[in-house]
Amino acid sequence: MLTRTYNITWEDFPGNRRIISRLTEQTPFLQKGLFFDIETTGFSAEKNALYLIGCCRFTGRSWQITQWLAGNESPEEQRLVLESFLGQLTPGDLLISYNGSTFDLTFLEKKSRQLSIQENLTSFDHVDLYKDLRPLKNFLHLNDLKLKTVERFLGIFREDTYSGGALIPVFKSYARTHTHAEEETLLLHNYEDIQDLLYILPVLAYKNIFLDGQFIINGSLRIDGETPAIQWTLTGDTPLPVSLPRTSLSLAGLCSLKTPLDAVLETRDGQIFLTLPLIREELKYFYPNYQDYYYLPQEDCAIHKSVAAFVDKKFRRKATAKNCYIKKAGEFLPQPGEKISPAFKIHFDDRLNWFEYCAKQNFSEELHACLQAYLRFFVLGSF
């Protein structure tokens, strides 16, 4: 078995080193994480060989990558590789992989049983970056979620040109000849798999901001004109590594208003600009407990029964869910659900709610929750 060790410093990272440094500082799992990737001669742990494992951990100043390459397909060599990797695990480690929950971990567990090696891989928490990125695939305009596709999105390009499957005959040849060229080819592919697990970490900024709500509201800009709107500027805890095309989503199908209603998302210079339509209308607030109200047809509003007791019975009737409301004129912005109270509607059956616009709301928790719901809407396609 061959063992190879390397160190990666912050200076070795590509242009996003500032983002990775900040992610490492702000994300505890990266500081205690053990990144790993395996190479095998096939998908079956019972029939195929485990010939290479690479792993990487943060040492406080740099990232240390260690690789173990089997000399051949014998059980003895596979045992050395696997036991060397398992010996790196310490209590509290967090395993980090790319699609490892589907393949790598399962293969290692089955191979351990086959070789009668005691392991406790299931006792470690595991972060699968592939699963973290899966909801973002369409939003980031990725054709697929292969590691190399994510690398290209971030402007990362490999020296290695092989796929895992293409390396199987290379390893089988190496097991016979042990040439230096084949050895370097095998190690380079695994090294860049591990290295690029670090290099793609900036893509987590999209998950942190759009799905987890890790952003602050810097302020808002009022846009007047034919289609008035309010535009918020948002900044994530970590800046976005790549600007995305301007995107708009129609809200018109969620309410009975006939005019176009679009939410617009733009990203520039690591910041997010979210624009929502502003309407000047008379909207309705529907009381939830309509059984306690009476509807006054002439005034077209509902009043509580304690007050309705003083109204002539000819001018009142018991309220229903659809007419138990009061009206208010003003400037309103759309909101999913009832993040900001009171929540208004145009008609009772509308799925879109509205809140009255006030510049003082810019830094409220309720507004943050509302804008987070919109960011998730752009990623997932629904509230």
Side-chain angles (χ1 to χ4, degrees):
M1 181 190 72
L2 172 71
T3 302
R4 185 79 64 87
T5 302
Y6 318 79
N7 282 304
I8 299 178
T9 66
W10 294 120
E11 288 70 29
D12 297 319
F13 280 76
N16 292 320
R17 67 173 67 93
R18 182 171 62 91
I19 302 176
I20 299 175
S21 176
R22 190 176 301 178
L23 274 169
T24 304
E25 293 172 0
Q26 297 175 346
T27 312
F29 83 74
L30 294 180
Q31 299 176 28
K32 64 177 183 177
L34 183 73
F35 296 80
F36 75 99
D37 184 65
I38 71 173
E39 309 298 338
T40 69
T41 60
F43 294 112
S44 170
E46 292 80 6
K47 297 178 181 178
N48 302 118
L50 169 70
Y51 70 84
L52 177 56
I53 301 180
C55 71
C56 175
R57 69 165 73 246
F58 186 56
T59 62
R61 286 187 163 184
S62 63
W63 301 83
Q64 186 177 79
I65 295 179
T66 305
Q67 294 175 291
W68 299 277
L69 174 63
N72 52 56
E73 296 184 60
S74 69
E76 292 76 20
E77 284 289 301
Q78 294 183 69
R79 176 184 294 276
L80 286 173
V81 168
L82 184 49
E83 288 182 335
S84 296
F85 169 69
L86 295 175
Q88 288 285 309
L89 299 175
T90 59
D93 277 346
L94 176 71
L95 299 178
I96 304 174
S97 70
Y98 198 83
N99 205 26
S101 56
T102 301
F103 176 67
D104 300 59
L105 280 179
T106 301
F107 194 100
L108 292 178
E109 290 166 1
K110 290 181 178 178
K111 181 59 70 174
S112 295
R113 287 196 294 271
Q114 184 189 54
L115 298 175
S116 301
I117 297 174
Q118 290 189 344
E119 52 81 19
N120 59 344
L121 290 171
T122 55
S123 68
F124 291 91
D125 290 333
H126 177 219
V127 171
D128 190 333
L129 298 179
Y130 176 91
K131 288 189 173 181
D132 283 345
L133 297 182
R134 189 160 52 193
L136 296 162
K137 175 178 174 288
N138 294 331
F139 177 65
L140 298 180
H141 306 283
L142 302 175
N143 293 328
D144 54 58
L145 284 175
K146 294 176 181 177
L147 182 57
K148 290 182 179 180
T149 302
V150 180
E151 293 166 6
R152 285 193 295 270
F153 169 76
L154 294 171
I156 300 167
F157 298 94
R158 292 179 171 228
E159 180 183 349
D160 163 58
T161 59
Y162 285 84
S163 67
L167 283 175
I168 295 173
V170 177
F171 172 71
K172 289 182 177 294
S173 174
Y174 169 78
R176 297 190 304 271
T177 64
H178 287 87
T179 66
H180 179 72
E182 290 173 330
E183 178 183 292
E184 292 302 315
T185 297
L186 296 168
L187 291 171
L188 176 63
H189 175 82
N190 180 258
Y191 173 85
E192 290 195 333
D193 275 351
I194 295 291
Q195 168 193 265
D196 289 353
L197 286 183
L198 301 178
Y199 287 1
I200 70 165
L201 288 178
V203 80
L204 292 178
Y206 297 98
K207 173 183 179 294
N208 294 345
I209 295 171
F210 285 87
L211 297 182
D212 299 340
Q214 296 178 19
F215 64 86
I216 59 173
I217 304 172
N218 291 334
S220 64
L221 173 68
R222 185 187 180 103
I223 303 172
D224 288 309
E226 186 176 343
T227 55
I230 303 295
Q231 182 182 82
W232 283 275
T233 304
L234 314 177
T235 303
D237 293 341
T238 51
L240 299 178
V242 178
S243 295
L244 302 174
R246 183 179 185 272
T247 306
S248 63
L249 291 175
S250 176
L251 305 173
L254 301 176
C255 73
S256 51
L257 201 64
K258 301 303 180 185
T259 57
L261 291 173
D262 290 332
V264 179
L265 179 73
E266 300 174 84
T267 64
R268 297 190 302 273
D269 303 322
Q271 291 187 311
I272 300 164
F273 302 89
L274 177 62
T275 305
L276 298 180
L278 180 71
I279 64 170
R280 300 181 182 96
E281 293 282 345
E282 184 179 66
L283 300 187
K284 299 172 182 177
Y285 171 74
F286 289 86
Y287 295 108
N289 50 333
Y290 67 88
Q291 298 91 340
D292 295 334
Y293 287 81
Y294 278 85
Y295 175 66
L296 308 182
Q298 290 187 349
E299 286 77 11
D300 190 21
C301 70
I303 59 174
H304 193 267
K305 60 185 180 182
S306 61
V307 179
F310 301 98
V311 177
D312 191 309
K313 293 182 179 180
K314 293 185 298 184
F315 302 105
R316 73 183 195 198
R317 62 173 182 255
K318 287 186 177 182
T320 65
K322 291 190 174 184
N323 64 19
C324 189
Y325 55 74
I326 57 170
K327 295 180 178 180
K328 184 164 188 180
E331 294 184 319
F332 299 89
L333 289 159
Q335 64 167 327
E338 298 183 13
K339 308 293 184 185
I340 300 174
S341 297
F344 297 86
K345 285 187 174 184
I346 298 172
H347 291 298
F348 178 78
D349 293 326
D350 286 353
R351 290 184 290 157
L352 190 65
N353 289 303
W354 300 80
F355 66 93
E356 190 170 16
Y357 172 65
C358 174
K360 293 181 180 179
Q361 293 165 329
N362 266 348
F363 305 102
S364 69
E365 292 183 6
E366 292 80 5
L367 179 62
H368 188 283
C370 178
L371 299 185
Q372 181 183 352
Y374 274 105
L375 295 186
R376 291 179 63 87
F377 179 40
F378 275 95
V379 174
L380 304 176
S382 62
F383 288 122

